[in-house]
Amino acid sequence: MSGAAAPGPSRPARLAFGAALIVYAAVAAWLVWRTSVLEPYSDMIDWADRWLRLQTDGDLVQYFWVPHNFHHLVLMLGVMALDVRFVGGQGYLFLAVGVACLAATAAMMARLAARAAGPGLRLLGGGVALAICLMGCHVLDANTVINTTYLHALVFAVAAIVLAGAPGGRPGWRRAGALACAVAAGLGSAAGMAVWPALAFEAWRGRRRVWLLVVLASGAGFAALYMVGEGVGGGLASLGHGGGPAPMKSVLLAINFLGLPWMRGLPPYGGLIGLVFLAAALAALLFRGGVDARPTERTAVALIVLSLGTAALAGLARTGDMAPSLVPMRYSVFLIPLQVGLWVLALPYVRRAWAARPQAAQAATIGLSVFLLAHQGVMALYALRTGDINLRVVADYRRGVRTPAVMTVIYPQFAKALAVSDGLKRRGLYQSELRRDPPPLASGSGT
C-alpha cells in the first residue's frame, strides 16, 4: 500500500478483534467434530459402489475416470482408495483432507488480504478474510464426505490464481505450478474448471500476452481431455436434465448462487443479495485489476472471476434439478473467492477511512468483533441443525429403517443402496461416526 502506515487498531481494539478471531476459529474447529457425517449416503453410495466393483474387475479407468454426472472426481476417488487401504476405511482420511483443504484456502486468503491491508492493518485485513473462509456453514463441506469434492476443487483453484499473480520469485516455476493446480482443480470437481477463465482474465487485464496464450492453450487442452468419457454413466447428458432449456431459470439460479450463504436464511431477498454481489463483481472487473494494478488487486479480480464462473456453471448444470430459490448451502464455499476478493479491493478505502477518522475506526473494530461472533453463532446453529438431520437419517438407515423418506435421502434406488451397504458392512467399512448418534426422529422418517 502506498502512503504512510495507518495507525492500526489500539491495544484494546486489537485484543478484542484477536480474541473474537480465536473464538470464531474455535467454533469452526468444534463444528468439525460436532457435525461430521462419515457414513455413506447419497453420492457416496455411487462412489462406494465403484470401489466395490474395483475389487472384482480391477478396472482403474472405470473407477477413476468415468464421470459421476459430469464430474471427473479423481481426487475424491483417490482419497477413498487411500482411506480404505491405509486408514481402515472409516472416513478419517476424507475428514483430514477436507479440513486441510479448508484450512489451506483460509491461509491463502488471509495472507492475500493481510498483504493488501499493509502495515498497521494486517490483522484486520487478514482476520476478516479468515472469518469469511471459516463460517460455520463452510465446515459442512470439510467434514461431510459427500461435500469434500467442492473443497478439493476450491483449494487448487485458489492456489492456481495465487501462484499466477504472486510477485517476485521465479515466474516460470510459479506459472508451471499454477497450471498444475488448475488441472488438479478440475479433477476435484467440474466446478474447478472455472479457474481457467479466471487465469485468462487476469493475464488479459495484465497484458501478459504470452502467459495468456499458454493459459488458453492449456485450458483448451484440458477441457478436451475432460470431455473424454462424458456421455458414459450420465456425463454431459445430465446437464439441465429437468426438461428443455430454461435460460431464465438458469440466470435466476446463478444470481441466487451469488447470494450464498445468506440467501438461504432470507429466501425472499436471495435474488437481491445476489444482484448486489453481481453488481460489485462486474464493477471490479471493469475498473480494477489493470496492467498497473498491484499484484494483490489483480489476484483479487481473478478470484472474483472464479466465483462468477462457478455461478455460471451452476446455472447451466443444475437448472431442472432444483428451484432457483433452493440453491444448496454446500455450494457457498465457491463464493469465498468472490467475498474475499471484494474485501481485498475494499481495503484501500478502509485504510483511507481509518486515517481520516481513527477514533471511529477503533470503535468500528470492536463492533466488527462483536458482529463476527454473532454471525458465527448463527452459522453454527445452521450447521448443527443440518448435521443432526443428516446424522439422524443415516443412523435410522443403519438401524434398519427403510421408509420412503429415509431412502430418498440415503439413495433413491433402494436395491442398489442395500447391495452397497451390505458389501461395505461385510468389509467393516464406513460403519460409524465420530460421536454418539443423535436421538432418532419421532416419526423415524428422515428429513
Side-chain angles (χ1 to χ4, degrees), residues 22-48:
I22 291 171
V23 174
Y24 193 105
V27 170
W30 175 71
L31 287 172
V32 168
W33 166 78
R34 180 62 174 75
T35 63
S36 62
V37 183
L38 304 181
E39 294 176 80
Y41 77 101
S42 189
D43 289 351
M44 194 178 172
I45 297 291
D46 285 324
W47 307 338

Side-chain angles (χ1 to χ4, degrees), residues 346-406:
L347 280 169
Y349 305 102
V350 172
R351 191 175 189 84
R352 290 174 200 162
W354 195 291
R357 302 188 65 183
Q359 293 305 314
Q362 304 292 350
T365 301
I366 295 174
L368 177 61
S369 304
V370 175
F371 170 78
L372 287 178
L373 290 178
H375 185 268
Q376 184 71 326
V378 172
M379 289 298 178
L381 289 174
Y382 167 83
L384 289 171
R385 177 181 177 275
T386 302
D388 279 353
I389 289 173
N390 292 333
L391 283 165
R392 284 174 188 138
V393 174
V394 169
D396 282 348
Y397 177 71
R398 189 187 340 110
R399 296 185 190 107
V401 176
R402 300 291 183 265
T403 62
V406 167

Side-chain angles (χ1 to χ4, degrees), residues 110-195:
R111 185 172 184 270
L112 172 70
R115 283 172 48 214
L121 292 180
R122 294 187 191 279
L123 176 63
L124 182 67
V128 170
L130 187 73
I132 291 171
C133 296
L134 298 184
M135 289 184 201
C137 59
H138 297 333
V139 172
L140 295 175
D141 280 9
N143 69 353
T144 302
V145 169
I146 63 169
N147 293 345
T148 54
T149 58
Y150 306 127
L151 286 171
H152 298 167
L154 178 67
V155 69
F156 282 109
V158 170
I161 291 170
V162 169
L163 281 171
R170 299 179 177 179
W173 284 106
R174 284 193 290 100
R175 289 172 181 175
L179 293 177
C181 287
V183 169
L187 300 179
S189 166
M193 297 295 287
V195 72

Side-chain angles (χ1 to χ4, degrees), residues 315-340:
L316 172 66
R318 292 304 181 188
T319 301
D321 282 351
M322 62 190 72
S325 61
L326 298 178
V327 181
M329 183 73 91
R330 64 181 181 269
Y331 294 163
S332 66
V333 293
F334 290 122
L335 277 304
I336 290 174
L338 169 65
Q339 292 153 13
V340 173

